[in-house]
Amino acid sequence: MKIHEYQAKEVLARYGVTVPRGRVASTPQEARAIAQELGGRVVVKAQVHAGGRGKAGGIRLAETPEQAEQHARDLIGSRLVTPQAPQGVPVHKVLVEEAISIAQEYYLGITLDRARQRDVVMVSAMGGMDIEQVAEEHPEAIVKVWVEPWQGLHPYQARQALYEAGIAREAVPTATKFLLALYKAYMASDASLAEINPFVLTQEGQCLAADAKMNIDDNALFRHPEFSDYKEESEEDPIEAEAHRRGIQYVRLGGDIGIIGNGAGLVMSTLDEVTRAGGKPANFLDIGGGAKADLVRNALEIVLMDPHVKGVLFNVFGGITRGDEVAKGIIEGIQSLHVKVPIVIRLAGTRAEEGLALLRGTDLIPAVTMQEAARKIVEVTR
Ligand code: GDP
Ligand code: MN
């Protein structure tokens, strides 16, 4: 799970990572009040899950609270267009922070190096810019140290990496404390990434996280109730968010043929077959094993929330999932949801016959194989 800059800074501050003073705002008025409170110049920063906000105009300097309010008005409700997100990412909130006097911009990052089965700490004096570009053009400018999991990051390792990377000598003691705190936050949060770019040395000699990016391991979220509010906000796609609230595995894919199946493997094969038949899947949706009628109706409702969906393909291979339960769910769903789009269904395995018997007399289009089902749904939605 990606979390926003302001959230990452909240988390990091708890572990002693120094961050600029500031708060998040959802309205221009709030932004103005925060700027007033902070006094002096502030930066107004769009909170989106996308890098390169600076270049995209998402980071703005304000001399007065009025200006902060104006920047917030321009940003909130707009879409930020970045090289990675050419379609634009909607901005709902801005972070209002005291502007800092930057003497040097560095880079700090911690992530999991899967090949080495260890966390890797990265330090570079070439901060502030795109780190992928630095890695490409000046790989020698990024110093890496790998952390033995049972030992943790030793202070001497942090110090050595900072010296080697060419961080100003007088800043190394404070930067070491900063890096150790960052590592502590990374470990305690079950993060898969903690990145500070730029890591700033101010003219007053202070070390500050001007920017912060953190990803949390989804599989560890159950032991972090403190991140439950972040989860809501991390889900930018409203249909995906609703599906997850209902406990349904759904991923939006952008096409126009809704897909529902049982088992991730079967659903992925279905996506392939639909694509091969010339169609474009609208989503991935796995109802899992042993799905009951209620879940099937729910799944159909989720898929139809996407206005682009022109037809739905059910591909169910019954093992513990019963064909008659699925058929009941589809019939209930079609009736209660007033479904108008065509539905193709391939039902096989446990109680498939009973299921197909229930579907007789309805408008559902049956298919015997997955390939036939894919061809049929592409045909009827063309
Ligand atoms: P990103 O473009 O999404 O990575 O956003 P950043 O938070 O890294 O901001 C981009 C750039 O804006 C940084 O590299 C800084 O040079 C500049 N910047 C960010 N915050 C401040 C600030 O408080 N004061 C000043 N002067 N510049 C800032
Ligand atoms: Mn940045």
Side-chain angles (χ1 to χ4, degrees):
M1 174 179 77
K2 290 181 179 175
I3 65 176
H4 286 298
E5 175 193 7
Y6 82 91
Q7 297 165 332
K9 284 177 171 171
E10 278 172 15
V11 174
L12 294 173
R14 272 187 240 137
Y15 295 91
V17 176
T18 42
V19 301
R21 290 186 306 137
R23 265 192 305 125
V24 73
S26 320
T27 66
Q29 292 75 21
E30 261 182 276
R32 181 198 182 114
I34 297 168
Q36 198 111 46
E37 235 175 81
L38 293 170
R41 303 161 78 202
V42 296
V43 274
V44 180
K45 312 181 76 178
Q47 297 300 289
V48 292
H49 294 303
R53 293 167 304 164
K55 280 185 200 143
I59 311 285
R60 303 191 186 182
L61 200 64
E63 302 289 338
T64 63
E66 290 71 32
Q67 257 181 29
E69 181 178 347
Q70 190 51 51
H71 287 321
R73 185 167 294 124
D74 294 342
L75 288 172
I76 297 171
S78 74
R79 293 179 85 89
L80 204 65
V81 177
T82 73
Q84 299 108 302
Q87 74 284 10
V89 201
V91 181
H92 302 295
K93 294 185 179 180
V94 293
L95 175 61
V96 183
E97 269 185 356
E98 60 178 343
I100 49 179
S101 52
I102 298 176
Q104 296 292 336
E105 292 190 324
Y106 305 126
Y107 171 91
L108 293 181
I110 307 176
T111 191
L112 177 64
D113 182 337
R114 288 173 194 279
R116 299 221 188 183
Q117 303 184 341
R118 274 162 186 60
D119 288 315
V120 59
V121 173
M122 292 170 286
V123 183
S124 177
M126 298 181 84
M129 52 190 116
D130 186 1
I131 195 67
E132 279 80 14
Q133 196 183 334
V134 177
E136 188 115 333
E137 292 166 14
H138 307 277
E140 73 292 343
I142 303 175
V143 174
K144 296 181 180 177
V145 285
W146 286 268
V147 184
E148 290 292 346
W150 64 90
Q151 296 179 8
L153 179 66
H154 290 290
Y156 81 85
Q157 288 180 297
R159 226 167 4 245
Q160 193 172 351
L162 291 159
Y163 273 123
E164 260 179 53
I167 307 300
R169 295 188 83 82
E170 66 278 13
V172 169
T174 358
T176 302
K177 274 200 207 111
F178 184 102
L179 182 50
L180 290 169
L182 182 67
Y183 178 75
K184 204 163 129 195
Y186 170 89
M187 290 304 287
S189 309
D190 285 312
S192 53
L193 173 77
E195 190 176 69
I196 310 296
N197 189 24
F199 166 51
V200 163
L201 176 61
T202 67
Q203 264 140 25
E204 298 80 35
Q206 209 191 353
C207 284
L208 276 179
D211 190 8
K213 196 169 160 188
M214 266 181 112
N215 296 350
I216 311 292
D217 184 345
D218 288 328
N219 295 314
L221 283 178
F222 73 95
R223 55 183 184 192
H224 293 282
E226 74 273 25
F227 296 150
S228 56
D229 291 350
Y230 298 171
K231 191 159 171 58
E232 292 279 300
E233 264 187 65
S234 81
E235 292 169 313
E236 306 241 311
D237 185 300
I239 304 180
E240 286 188 3
E242 181 56 29
H244 295 161
R245 268 194 288 281
R246 299 187 191 189
I248 292 175
Q249 300 299 322
Y250 170 93
V251 180
R252 197 149 164 193
L253 297 173
D256 54 12
I257 297 177
I259 310 283
I260 299 175
N262 62 324
L266 185 67
V267 177
M268 289 202 272
S269 310
T270 313
L271 300 177
D272 287 347
E273 284 303 333
V274 167
T275 307
R276 191 169 296 155
K280 285 203 171 66
N283 66 276
F284 168 100
L285 192 155
D286 173 17
I287 54 172
K292 290 280 190 279
D294 189 43
L295 175 60
V296 177
R297 187 174 39 71
N298 244 319
L300 186 58
E301 185 172 20
I302 291 286
V303 165
L304 293 171
M305 279 179 190
D306 180 349
H308 300 106
V309 168
K310 290 196 288 193
V312 179
L313 169 55
F314 273 89
N315 187 10
V316 175
F317 192 96
I320 47 174
T321 306
R322 287 170 36 172
D324 53 342
E325 277 286 342
V326 172
K328 245 195 294 183
I330 298 175
I331 293 168
E332 269 175 43
I334 291 171
Q335 283 164 355
S336 63
L337 304 168
H338 309 289
V339 176
K340 296 197 183 63
V341 299
I343 296 181
V344 172
I345 173 162
R346 181 249 180 170
L347 203 55
T350 310
R351 291 198 181 239
E353 258 99 81
E354 288 88 336
L356 289 169
L358 286 173
L359 296 172
R360 228 161 272 140
T362 66
D363 293 335
L364 289 148
I365 306 161
V368 179
T369 66
M370 168 156 74
Q371 286 77 3
E372 184 195 340
R375 266 199 314 276
K376 280 188 167 164
I377 193 68
V378 171
E379 246 169 59
V380 295
T381 52
R382 189 158 276 160

